[in-house]
Amino acid sequence: MKYIFVTGGVVSSLGKGLLAAALGTLLENRGLKVTIQKFDPYLNVDPGTMSPYQHGEVYVLDDGAETDLDLGHYERFTNCKLSRLNNLTSGQVYQTVLNNEREGKYLGKTVQVIPHVTDEIQNRIQQLAEKSKADVVITEIGGTTGDIEGLPFLEAIREFALEVGYDNALFVHVTYVPFIKAAGELKTKPTQQSVAKLREIGITPHILVCRCEKPLEVELRQKISLFCNVPYEAVIEEKDVEHSIYELPLMLQRERMDDLVCRRLRLETPPANMAHWQEIIRKLIAPQHRVRIGVVGKYIELNDAYKSVYEAVIHGGIANDCGVEIVKLDAEEIERIGPEKTLAGLGGILVPGGFGERGIEGKILAAQYAREKKIPYLGLCLGMQIATIEFARNVLKLAKAQSTEFDPNTPHPVIALQEEQKKVSKKGGTMRLGSQACQLTVGSKASQLYGSFCIHERHRHRYEFNNAYREQFEKAGFVISGNTPDGKLAEVIELPNHPFFIASQFHPEFQSKPNQPHPLFKGFIAAAHAQLHHKPI
C-alpha cells in the first residue's frame, strides 16, 4: 500500500483539499483504488457544533459523521465512499488518548504527545488503510506548517513514512508563490522558508505544488528546485483556474504530476484517460444554455457555508449542458425590501438548510413567491420546512403557523421536534444523521426524477413535519411524496400543479458529483431553463 501526505505552507486556504481530490481523480483514472482522509488540528471533536462563519459547511457522510467540507471535494472528485475514519481532529485524538489513560491501557506510563498522541494518529492511518483496501491512501494535513497545533500530526506522518519505507510514502507540499505587483515579479522566498520549516520538523517534500497567479518561468522553477532540494520536474505550477475547480485534474495532468507520483511510488499504471472530464469542462466553459438560480440563505456572504449546494447546482447545469449563474440572496434583505425586487428574473429559487430564527421570514417570502409565480423551487432540509410553513400560512390559512424551533409557543406547530430528540441535551453528533432509507410514492415527480421508489439520502436535522397536520395538508393538494419506510416521517414534499416545486428533509447535495449529477438538481435546472424559455420539460 502506498501513502501520500499533503501539507501546506505560507498561508492557509491554498487548496490542499482540492489538490488531494484532483490527484485522487488522476490516480483513479489510472486504474488505482484511492481513499482520502483529512487531519484537522483543531480541538473540536468534529465541526458539527461550529458556526459556518468559523468553519464553512458541515459535510455529512453516509455513516452520519459530521466532517470537514474538504471531504465533500474528495467524494465529488473521486469514487471514494468515505466514513468517519476519513476525518480526524485533534479533539478526537486527545479524547481517545485520555479515555485510554482513564481505562489504564497505558499500564501506568506517563502519557505524552510522543509516543501516545502520535501513535494514535498513525493508528488512524492504519485503520483506514485496512478497511479501505485501497492501493493509495492520500492524507491531507490541515492548517499551515509551523502552526503549533499541527506539530503532532507532522511528527506522526514523519514517523509513519520511516516505518513504511522510502518507496511507499510520498510528501507533497503545497505552497504560495506571491506576485508582488510593485516589483512586477513572483517571489520564491516564502516557499523557501516554508520548506525550510518543514525540513526542521524532519520532512523533506518530494513534490512542491506552487500556487501562483502568473506562470512559473524556467528560472523560477530552477531556483525553487535548487533552494528547496526537489528535482526540477517536481516543481509543479498550479495557477488559479480560469473557470472551475474541476479544471484542476487536467492542469495537474499537463504538469505530469500523476506520472511523477507513480514513478516515485513504483506504481505501474497506464496513463489516465480524462476524455470524460474534458467533456465536463467543455460544458462548464461553453454551455449550450444559460439560467439564473437564486440561493436564499443567511450565511450568503461566506461562500463555503453552502459549498456542496453551489457545486450540486453546477452539476445540475452540467447534466443539462446549461451554464448556471448562482445569485446569492440574503434572506434578511428579502424581509426588508420584499421578494418582488430581489427575486424577479430568476429561473429557479433554492432554499438550503440552516439553523436559527434569523432570516426565516425572508425565506418564507421566497417560497411563497416561487409557489405563486410558478417559479421552480427546490428546498433542502430547512427549505422543506420553510415550504411547509408557507403553505400552512397562505393556503391553509393557519396565520401563525411556525416551527417550534423558532416559536415554541406557536398555536400551529406544523414543524416540530422529533420525538427521539426531546430528551437530547448534548449538541454534538446527536441530530438525525447520515444515510436513511426513503420510500417514494408511485407516480410522483420525485420518483420520476430518481427512476426509483426506494432511495437512500443523507440527513442532518432535529425537526420534522408534524403528522398531526398531514391530512389537512394533503386535502389542500400538498403532496407528501416521500416517507420513511415505516411511514412516520415525511421526507419529500411536492406541489403537482406547479412546473417544479419539490423539497426534501434530507440533503441531496451531499451525493452529487460533476460526472453523476443528483436527480433533484438535474430536474430543478431543467425546469428552471424550460420555465424561462416556455418549453416543456
Side-chain angles (χ1 to χ4, degrees):
M1 192 171 289
K2 308 296 183 178
Y3 301 89
I4 299 171
F5 298 101
V6 180
T7 59
V10 185
V11 294
S12 59
S13 302
L14 282 178
K16 299 188 298 298
L18 281 169
L19 176 92
L23 180 56
T25 304
L26 291 171
L27 295 179
E28 277 194 346
N29 282 279
R30 282 174 166 263
L32 297 167
K33 185 179 180 183
V34 175
T35 190
I36 315 177
Q37 67 183 165
K38 172 76 181 286
F39 287 168
D40 275 310
Y42 53 73
L43 285 172
N44 302 67
V45 173
D46 59 45
T49 58
M50 294 167 72
S51 163
Y53 290 118
Q54 285 277 310
H55 188 271
E57 80 169 359
V58 174
Y59 187 80
V60 180
L61 304 179
D62 271 358
D63 65 358
E66 295 175 290
T67 69
D68 183 80
L69 60 82
D70 275 321
L71 276 79
H73 294 314
Y74 304 163
E75 287 200 331
R76 284 188 283 272
F77 275 75
T78 69
N79 295 311
C80 298
K81 268 292 184 187
L82 307 182
S83 73
R84 61 185 67 252
L85 288 177
N86 292 79
N87 196 191
L88 180 69
T89 69
S90 289
Q92 292 173 27
V93 174
Y94 285 108
Q95 189 178 60
T96 302
V97 169
L98 292 173
N99 286 341
N100 288 344
E101 185 274 334
R102 292 289 83 186
E103 293 170 15
K105 290 184 179 180
Y106 298 126
L107 303 177
K109 292 180 181 176
T110 302
V111 180
Q112 297 175 294
V113 172
I114 303 172
H116 301 100
V117 169
T118 52
D119 281 355
E120 186 57 39
I121 294 167
Q122 292 177 63
N123 184 47
R124 177 58 74 90
I125 303 171
Q126 290 165 340
Q127 284 181 49
L128 179 63
E130 290 168 9
K131 182 183 177 184
S132 68
K133 301 290 192 291
D135 300 306
V136 181
V137 177
I138 302 174
T139 303
E140 175 198 349
I141 313 300
T144 307
T145 299
D147 292 347
I148 190 168
E149 61 266 30
L151 291 175
F153 289 98
L154 295 175
E155 172 60 21
I157 64 173
R158 183 195 69 79
E159 294 174 10
F160 189 88
L162 197 63
E163 190 171 317
V164 298
Y166 179 82
D167 291 339
N168 298 320
L170 176 74
F171 291 103
V172 177
H173 191 56
V174 186
T175 183
Y176 183 49
V177 182
F179 178 75
I180 306 301
K181 194 172 181 180
E185 60 184 2
L186 293 167
K187 291 294 184 180
T188 66
K189 190 64 71 177
T191 293
Q192 294 176 45
Q193 294 291 337
S194 174
V195 172
K197 194 72 181 172
L198 198 59
R199 289 166 70 183
E200 282 178 19
I201 296 165
I203 296 172
T204 299
H206 302 103
I207 297 174
L208 274 183
V209 177
C210 301
R211 284 295 309 273
C212 50
E213 299 172 48
K214 307 285 184 180
L216 277 182
E217 303 295 343
V218 171
E219 286 185 7
L220 278 179
R221 291 200 195 211
Q222 289 173 337
K223 186 176 181 181
I224 291 170
S225 170
L226 177 65
F227 285 100
C228 296
N229 197 35
V230 295
Y232 175 83
E233 65 271 16
V235 179
I236 305 295
E237 175 189 283
E238 189 186 43
K239 280 179 61 184
D240 297 345
V241 292
E242 288 186 43
H243 302 96
S244 166
I245 58 173
Y246 300 114
E247 296 175 66
L248 187 52
L250 301 179
M251 180 188 291
L252 296 179
Q253 189 181 42
R254 287 194 297 271
E255 288 284 303
R256 305 182 69 86
M257 183 176 176
D258 54 324
D259 289 341
L260 187 63
V261 167
C262 290
R263 282 203 313 273
R264 172 65 182 72
L265 292 176
R266 302 187 188 279
L267 290 164
E268 298 292 334
T269 63
N273 182 353
M274 299 297 287
H276 65 295
W277 209 263
Q278 289 167 341
E279 177 61 11
I280 289 170
I281 301 305
R282 197 279 302 163
K283 289 179 179 178
L284 288 168
I285 294 173
Q288 297 297 307
H289 314 288
R290 298 275 177 185
V291 71
R292 297 172 78 234
I293 299 296
V295 176
V296 181
K298 61 189 287 187
Y299 309 112
I300 227 68
E301 65 271 31
L302 184 71
N303 192 57
D304 282 349
Y306 303 109
K307 189 65 179 174
S308 291
V309 174
Y310 296 149
E311 295 304 315
V313 169
I314 290 167
H315 303 163
I318 292 170
N320 290 281
D321 205 348
C322 186
V324 180
E325 179 191 348
I326 296 174
V327 182
K328 300 172 184 177
L329 299 164
D330 189 331
E332 290 181 286
E333 185 178 359
I334 297 173
E335 284 181 35
R336 286 194 299 272
I337 64 177
E340 295 286 348
K341 292 182 180 178
T342 50
L343 304 177
L346 295 173
I349 295 170
L350 186 152
V351 177
F355 300 91
E357 189 178 359
R358 184 171 62 84
I360 290 301
E361 294 303 320
K363 294 180 183 184
I364 292 171
L365 286 171
Q368 181 182 4
Y369 186 85
R371 181 179 58 80
E372 293 177 349
K373 302 289 185 182
K374 304 293 185 183
I375 298 171
Y377 175 90
L378 181 61
L380 312 175
C381 194
L382 177 63
M384 173 185 147
Q385 298 173 6
I386 290 294
T388 301
I389 296 165
E390 187 280 319
F391 194 91
R393 289 183 184 180
N394 299 307
V395 178
L396 302 183
K397 304 303 179 184
L398 306 175
K400 294 184 179 180
Q402 187 56 285
S403 166
T404 55
E405 179 183 3
F406 313 126
D407 180 6
N409 301 313
T410 175
H412 299 295
V414 293
I415 302 295
L417 190 65
Q418 295 172 49
E419 196 62 38
E420 60 267 30
Q421 289 287 326
K422 290 180 179 178
K423 295 180 181 178
V424 172
S425 57
K426 291 184 178 180
K427 298 295 184 186
T430 56
M431 284 185 270
R432 183 175 183 233
L433 291 165
S435 183
Q436 311 278 344
C438 172
Q439 198 74 33
L440 299 177
T441 304
V442 176
S444 65
K445 181 73 173 177
S447 68
Q448 291 170 17
L449 291 170
Y450 276 96
S452 176
F453 303 122
C454 185
I455 60 171
H456 287 79
E457 293 281 5
R458 299 178 190 179
H459 294 69
R460 185 174 186 253
H461 65 108
R462 296 185 194 278
Y463 292 80
E464 62 178 336
F465 180 90
N466 188 342
N467 282 324
Y469 291 86
R470 183 181 283 248
E471 186 177 346
Q472 195 172 351
F473 270 86
E474 290 179 332
K475 281 183 178 178
F478 187 89
V479 175
I480 299 172
S481 59
N483 295 276
T484 51
D486 61 9
K488 291 182 179 179
L489 299 181
E491 295 275 51
V492 184
I493 63 100
E494 56 186 76
L495 299 181
N497 299 318
H498 194 284
F500 188 101
F501 196 105
I502 296 180
S504 66
Q505 186 57 75
F506 47 76
H507 288 270
E509 68 270 25
F510 291 149
Q511 296 202 88
S512 187
K513 299 172 185 279
N515 54 349
Q516 297 172 35
H518 192 281
L520 292 185
F521 286 90
K522 181 179 178 181
F524 175 56
I525 299 300
H529 177 258
Q531 185 72 0
L532 277 179
H533 297 84
H534 308 290
K535 296 178 181 178
I537 301 175

